C-alpha cells in the first residue's frame, strides 16, 4: 500500500505538471495541441523518472540499466500523448482539453505496471 501511495503522489504531481504545461503551452504560448502535449509530456517524463527512482521505488539500481527501460516504458505514454490530441482534436475536432484528460488518466495505469514489473524490478527482488 505504501508503494501505491508513493506512486500515486509522484504520478499525480507528474500528471499535474503535464496538464499545466500542456495547457500553458497550448493557450499561452499558442503551441499546436500535439506540440503542446508532447513538450509537456517530455518535461513531465524527466521529472517522473527521477521522482519514481528516488521516492516511489527507492531504487539503488544503476541509471545505465533503469533509464533506458524507463525511456522504453515512457514511449508508450508518449504515443498516447501524441495520438490523443492528433486523433481527438485533429481528426475529430473535439476540444483540446479532452486529450489532456485522456492522457492524464491512461498513462498512470500503464506506467505503474511497467515501472513496478520491469523498469525498477530489481528493487523488488532485493
Amino acid at each position: 500500500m505504501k508503494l501505491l501511495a508513493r506512486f500515486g503522489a509522484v504520478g499525480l504531481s507528474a500528471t499535474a505538471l503535464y496538464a499545466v504545461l500542456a495547457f500553458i503551452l497550448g493557450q499561452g504560448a499558442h503551441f499546436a495541441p500535439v506540440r503542446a502535449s508532447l513538450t509537456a509530456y517530455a518535461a513531465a517524463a524527466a521529472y517522473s523518472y527521477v521522482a519514481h527512482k528516488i521516492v516511489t521505488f527507492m531504487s539503488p539500481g544503476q541509471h545505465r540499466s533503469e533509464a533506458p527501460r524507463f525511456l522504453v516504458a515512457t514511449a508508450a505514454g508518449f504515443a498516447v500523448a501524441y495520438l490523443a490530441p492528433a486523433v481527438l482534436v485533429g481528426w475529430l475536432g473535439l476540444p483540446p482539453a479532452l486529450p489532456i484528460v485522456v492522457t492524464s488518466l491512461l498513462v498512470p495505469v500503464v506506467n505503474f505496471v511497467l515501472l513496478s514489473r520491469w523498469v525498477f524490478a530489481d528493487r523488488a527482488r532485493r
Side-chain angles (χ1 to χ4, degrees):
M1 274 317 239
K2 288 180 183 179
L3 176 65
L4 195 55
R6 290 191 309 263
F7 179 84
V10 169
L12 285 174
S13 63
T15 300
L17 177 62
Y18 160 77
V20 167
L21 285 176
F23 179 79
I24 289 170
L25 293 171
Q27 300 299 311
H30 305 292
F31 281 27
V34 170
R35 183 175 175 210
S37 184
L38 293 179
T39 303
Y41 193 84
Y47 163 80
S48 183
Y49 171 72
V50 172
H52 280 307
K53 179 171 179 56
I54 294 169
V55 176
T56 303
F57 298 100
M58 295 181 261
S59 176
Q62 297 292 317
H63 289 296
R64 70 176 178 245
S65 64
E66 292 177 342
R69 286 184 276 182
F70 184 85
L71 288 175
V72 171
T74 298
F78 201 71
V80 172
Y82 172 79
L83 291 172
V87 171
L88 297 174
V89 176
W91 291 355
L92 301 177
L94 297 172
L98 185 59
I100 294 171
V101 172
V102 168
T103 301
S104 297
L105 295 174
L106 184 58
V107 170
V109 174
V110 171
N111 277 348
F112 183 76
V113 172
L114 292 175
L115 296 180
S116 65
R117 307 223 187 267
W118 184 50
V119 175
F120 301 110
D122 291 340
R123 173 212 164 286
R125 289 185 207 128
R126 289 180 186 171

